[in-house]
Amino acid sequence: MRIFTVVLLLLASVGQLFAQQHSVARRWNEVLLEAIRDDYARPTIHARNLFHTTIALYDGWAIYDPVANPYILGKVVHDYDCPFNGIATPTDIQAAQEVTMSYAAYRVLSHRFANSPDAVQTQFRFDTLMANLGYDINYTSTNYSNNSYAALGNYLAQNIIAYGFQDGANEGEGYENQHYLPLNPTLLPVYPGNPDIVDPNRWQPLTLQIYIDQSGHIWPVNTPAFLGPEWGEVDAFALSDDDLTLHYRDGYDYQIHHDPGMPPQMDTADVSGMALQYKWTFELVARWSSQLTPDDTTVWDISPASIGNVQSYPTSFADHPSFYDVENGGDAGIGHAINPVTGQPYTPQLVKRGDYARVLAEFWADGPQSETPPGHWFTILNYVSDHPLVEKRYMGTGPILSDLEWDVKSYFTMAGAVHDAAVTAWGIKGYYDYIRPISAIRFMADLGQSTYPDSVHYHPAGLGLVANLIELVDSADALAGTNYVNVGKVKLNVWRGPSYVGAPATDYAGVGWILAENWWPYQRPSFVTPPFAGYVSGHSTFSRAASEVMTAFTGDAYFPGGMGEFHAPMNEFLVFEEGPSEDVVLQWATYRDASDQCSLSRIWGGIHPPADDIPGRLMGIEIGTEAFHLANTYFEGLVTDVSAEKELQLAVYPNPSITGSVSIRMNRPFRQMDVQVFDMNGKRCLSQSMASNGNSEVVALSMNDLSTGLYLLKVNADGVDFSQRISIMR
């Protein structure tokens, strides 16, 4: 069977970046990806950069197309009006498209990366591409009335830049947070435990000796702030107000699309229900950490014959244990019987589980020198576009498209999807503000063990003991410490952490017993964990949305030839430590298989528990599908304006834990509201109607008769329906 390799390595020279066989859209996409790699690793901001640059490319193409609608030229987009008076039809349409696209992309990119840490090198790439294309960067006119296609490009960029200053991203203030403040004090991971945590359900900042992000850049502060907690208010592409919920906290309405509801909460006074799910989801991260070593003798077949092809996903946290292989690692994928292209079974590839898991964690981490998760899927898209077996037919049917049309349309669709994924995931991250594994595992370790009530260091919210994995230190233990100070503490048989890696080029930490209070994710000491809340996983959301776009746009669920691959050579690929100890080839039959593999990588990497993962996958399916369908309406010329006028919106508070009454708050006065509350079995538990005569925005609803648990709140206000999951905790 022929092997096809995903080429995701950095391009070696400017000349390679500007390869003549690629369309002008592709060449601008390549310099954009290079610019992202040389900037700070900020997935929300770069998803937006990808989207806005793609608008420049798409509109510069679409304005000359007889069918397609532009996105912003001549439109009102989220209340931003971009007038367009038309331009003469060119004799050479493609030449005019390339001129307009290039000037528009050049101006947008030059603006967006002016303050990049490698701004000089990045600008040189932009300038060089313009020179190679034969365009004068000193031509700055925006007056296209004389039918200047270059001026139209400048005008288009001017409007995209202006639109960006009012789209909710707070670009004018450097994307600074405006409302959010962390509840928990900072954690210093170089010291044991988590002694100062206030709320084990909320995100905790980290203070490091030096913070180097996943692009390899040193940040100016060593306690990075939460990145993008208010990103949910950024104007999106295909997200609908029908999916929008407002959650009120600390004087601010957090805007959330595709609200997944509250993640598992820890209540140390009542460790049952969601608190048990909390313990399970974070303990699984520690369990899988025990597999991150080449000394593990377990061998897996990592070919599509054995991995991938997940049939369904759990829709409740209670069902997560049946989806993941808790003891061995991995998920419920059943593999693929045959390669549908060749008609032959996939060739088994047997490798050490410890090598596979480490390669997976580093490959999908997108670092160092990262184009970030949304950019990573553009490299995969470009690989597929270059594949010799690909016929560039939209949705797999119809005529073969030119390289330019294929690239413009695929980029527009993909960029809209990953931008929406960022708006969705970070809106949820900001409001639910959920804890990361390093904070949760150390918190539970400080409490003790939860298995034996009559034994030492017992606490019902502590870590559950598992033979050969999670145990107590005894007096004969090497970890007992001076004067047996550590006797009775919890220990973990896991990846030992970066302090055991003297020289990453030659050493690996391996797995061994450490005090649980010193647990560390599979990451570098200068990074540890991304500077934002965990729930939901951005990687899961980005990847699943992107894989849905790839599937729909190409008209095929499978990679070209039935398989995509990435080769990680022995002792050359890993960055955190030496490895892998053998060649490992990551393989995916379908785009969704690649997405699922990305999601698992974050658990092995110690960045996310299952509670963060599955909701991201589920909402990614919706986001990618919605983005594809909306993009298609532009291609078919069926779109006029994108209105930002907000319909009636709902916020419920207090949330996430309701103990007595709940306030239902609308964004404007309403006249009539009907409220129903259902349990998770669909039984109606409460029904109430309220009238406000159009003068009120807030009503109170008593929950005192309802017991602890999850419920579905359904609200109809002035004929507009809302639904939202709520949790009652006594």
Side-chain angles (χ1 to χ4, degrees):
M1 178 175 60
R2 187 174 180 182
I3 294 178
F4 305 103
T5 302
V6 180
V7 180
L8 301 177
L9 301 177
L10 296 178
L11 299 180
S13 68
V14 172
Q16 286 178 295
L17 282 171
F18 305 149
Q20 293 299 317
Q21 67 269 24
H22 289 148
S23 76
V24 71
R26 169 66 173 273
R27 294 161 77 177
W28 281 110
N29 179 257
E30 293 285 8
V31 294
L32 169 54
L33 293 176
E34 279 294 301
I36 293 173
R37 295 178 188 118
D38 285 343
D39 194 21
Y40 294 117
R42 302 175 293 178
T44 50
I45 292 167
H46 291 312
R48 177 174 173 270
N49 285 336
L50 284 159
F51 180 48
H52 288 189
T53 305
T54 300
I55 293 172
L57 296 172
Y58 173 74
D59 275 23
W61 173 86
I63 202 65
Y64 306 102
D65 186 81
V67 176
N69 284 141
Y71 180 78
I72 195 170
L73 267 178
K75 301 290 192 296
V76 177
V77 179
H78 297 296
D79 286 343
Y80 181 85
D81 187 4
C82 178
F84 177 58
N85 298 321
I87 196 166
T89 302
T91 55
D92 187 336
I93 290 178
Q94 181 168 328
Q97 289 171 325
E98 291 179 350
V99 170
T100 304
M101 292 165 66
S102 294
Y103 274 91
Y106 175 77
R107 301 296 175 200
V108 171
L109 291 174
S110 297
H111 166 74
R112 287 290 170 80
F113 290 92
N115 297 316
S116 169
D118 290 318
V120 173
Q121 179 179 356
T122 294
Q123 189 63 49
F124 173 74
R125 290 197 192 97
F126 302 156
D127 293 350
T128 302
L129 178 52
M130 286 291 279
N132 287 350
L133 293 169
Y135 304 140
D136 180 5
I137 62 175
N138 296 311
Y139 182 77
T140 59
S141 173
T142 59
N143 181 9
Y144 61 88
S145 61
N146 60 352
N147 296 321
S148 168
Y149 307 121
L152 179 58
N154 290 332
Y155 175 77
L156 172 57
Q158 180 184 71
N159 279 274
I160 293 171
I161 291 168
Y163 167 75
F165 279 116
Q166 56 92 68
D167 72 342
N170 197 28
E171 182 184 342
E173 300 296 327
Y175 308 101
E176 290 291 330
N177 300 337
Q178 301 179 76
H179 305 280
Y180 174 89
L181 292 173
L183 175 67
N184 283 313
T186 186
L187 170 68
L188 283 72
V190 295
Y191 294 106
N194 194 354
D196 299 324
I197 191 168
V198 174
D199 187 340
N201 301 304
R202 300 283 291 274
W203 179 72
Q204 184 175 34
L206 301 183
T207 296
L208 310 176
Q209 293 177 323
I210 183 173
Y211 179 67
I212 302 176
D213 69 15
Q214 285 184 283
S215 288
H217 290 105
I218 299 175
W219 278 45
V221 295
N222 61 352
T223 306
F226 192 130
L227 175 69
E230 297 133 13
W231 206 256
E233 67 181 60
V234 175
D235 289 334
F237 173 57
L239 298 180
S240 168
D241 281 352
D242 293 339
D243 299 324
L244 178 65
T245 303
L246 300 183
H247 281 307
Y248 182 81
R249 191 189 75 219
D250 301 332
Y252 176 66
D253 284 329
Y254 286 86
Q255 299 187 29
I256 296 180
H257 292 271
H258 300 290
D259 185 5
M262 180 174 54
Q265 301 288 292
M266 171 55 72
D267 179 356
T268 56
D270 181 13
V271 185
S272 62
M274 292 187 77
L276 289 177
Q277 294 168 8
Y278 178 107
K279 282 169 52 63
W280 180 87
T281 201
F282 287 109
E283 287 172 354
L284 180 126
V285 177
R287 293 175 72 116
W288 285 18
S289 179
S290 69
Q291 300 163 4
L292 300 172
T293 175
D295 299 327
D296 181 354
T297 59
T298 303
V299 173
W300 277 5
D301 173 21
I302 65 168
S303 76
S306 300
I307 288 180
N309 198 17
V310 172
Q311 299 297 291
S312 63
Y313 301 95
T315 55
S316 71
F317 297 119
D319 294 331
H320 285 187
S322 62
F323 179 79
Y324 297 92
D325 189 333
V326 177
E327 294 186 7
N328 301 307
D331 61 19
I334 62 174
H336 300 265
I338 62 168
N339 180 328
V341 177
T342 66
Q344 300 298 314
Y346 287 98
T347 302
Q349 185 199 166
L350 302 177
V351 301
K352 294 178 180 178
R353 175 179 60 182
D355 280 330
Y356 170 71
R358 291 186 301 153
V359 168
L360 208 66
E362 292 206 30
F363 174 78
W364 288 108
D366 304 306
Q369 299 303 306
S370 167
E371 61 266 359
T372 72
H376 198 156
W377 277 92
F378 274 82
T379 65
I380 293 174
L381 169 57
N382 287 338
Y383 153 71
V384 170
S385 298
D386 287 345
H387 201 285
L389 291 184
V390 168
E391 289 188 338
K392 295 182 177 178
R393 303 180 191 274
Y394 180 54
M395 293 191 286
T397 62
I400 293 178
L401 305 183
S402 69
D403 289 348
L404 180 62
E405 183 174 354
W406 173 272
D407 288 341
V408 164
K409 288 183 173 179
S410 63
Y411 290 161
F412 183 66
T413 311
M414 180 67 77
V418 296
H419 175 60
D420 282 0
V423 172
T424 302
W426 265 258
I428 292 165
K429 286 176 183 287
Y431 175 68
Y432 288 107
D433 198 34
Y434 200 46
I435 193 169
R436 289 281 188 170
I438 189 169
S439 296
I441 291 172
R442 290 188 176 202
F443 157 75
M444 291 190 288
D446 285 349
L447 294 179
Q449 56 88 16
S450 60
T451 302
Y452 300 115
D454 297 329
S455 186
V456 295
H457 288 236
Y458 172 77
H459 193 290
L463 291 166
L465 300 182
V466 179
N468 300 316
L469 181 63
I470 308 175
E471 298 182 356
L472 295 180
V473 176
D474 60 31
S475 59
D477 201 305
L479 296 173
T482 304
N483 298 323
Y484 304 106
V485 67
N486 295 325
V487 171
K489 289 185 177 181
V490 181
K491 64 178 182 178
L492 300 174
N493 190 17
V494 293
W495 187 71
R496 296 188 298 172
S499 63
Y500 288 85
V501 184
T506 57
D507 299 337
Y508 64 92
V511 165
W513 289 104
I514 63 170
L515 294 176
E517 65 189 24
N518 294 326
W519 182 83
W520 202 284
Y522 180 69
Q523 302 291 326
R524 294 166 293 167
S526 57
F527 178 73
V528 185
T529 287
F532 39 81
Y535 183 77
V536 295
S537 167
H539 276 68
S540 292
T541 312
F542 282 129
S543 293
R544 193 51 191 252
S547 70
E548 294 302 313
V549 167
M550 294 293 298
T551 300
F553 194 90
T554 64
D556 191 347
Y558 286 81
F559 275 87
M563 187 165 71
E565 296 187 338
F566 176 82
H567 180 215
M570 181 178 68
N571 290 332
E572 294 182 17
F573 176 72
L574 297 185
V575 174
F576 305 161
E577 60 182 2
E578 185 185 42
S581 65
E582 57 188 333
D583 282 5
V584 173
V585 182
L586 300 181
Q587 296 180 327
W588 321 287
T590 69
Y591 304 114
R592 291 166 180 148
D593 290 346
S595 170
D596 289 334
Q597 197 179 80
C598 174
S599 296
L600 293 178
S601 77
R602 304 305 275 170
I603 302 176
W604 268 304
I607 298 299
H608 287 291
D612 297 349
D613 168 24
I614 294 297
R617 299 198 210 190
L618 293 175
M619 67 182 60
I621 294 171
E622 296 184 66
I623 292 165
T625 302
E626 291 167 357
F628 175 79
H629 287 306
L630 180 58
N632 185 62
T633 63
Y634 283 96
F635 304 156
E636 294 182 355
L638 302 177
V639 175
T640 53
D641 293 338
V642 181
S643 174
E645 180 182 352
K646 302 297 184 184
E647 299 296 335
L648 198 62
Q649 299 169 3
L650 169 132
V652 176
Y653 61 98
N655 199 298
S657 57
I658 298 167
T659 57
S661 64
V662 59
S663 293
I664 301 175
R665 179 174 183 267
M666 312 307 295
N667 65 315
R668 59 176 171 80
F670 64 92
R671 293 186 176 277
Q672 177 69 34
M673 178 182 292
D674 299 309
V675 181
Q676 299 181 85
V677 179
F678 298 84
D679 65 19
M680 289 297 98
N681 294 318
K683 178 183 177 182
R684 187 170 64 185
C685 304
L686 188 153
S687 179
Q688 186 171 338
S689 295
M690 293 159 278
S692 73
N693 299 318
N695 297 319
S696 177
E697 299 175 11
V698 181
V699 297
L701 183 69
S702 174
M703 297 290 185
N704 290 323
D705 294 336
L706 301 182
S707 58
T708 295
L710 288 173
Y711 293 86
L712 180 66
L713 174 71
K714 290 190 174 182
V715 176
N716 181 284
D718 291 349
V720 181
D721 291 318
F722 304 90
S723 63
Q724 180 176 324
R725 289 175 62 182
I726 60 174
S727 176
I728 297 176
M729 299 180 69
R730 304 298 186 193

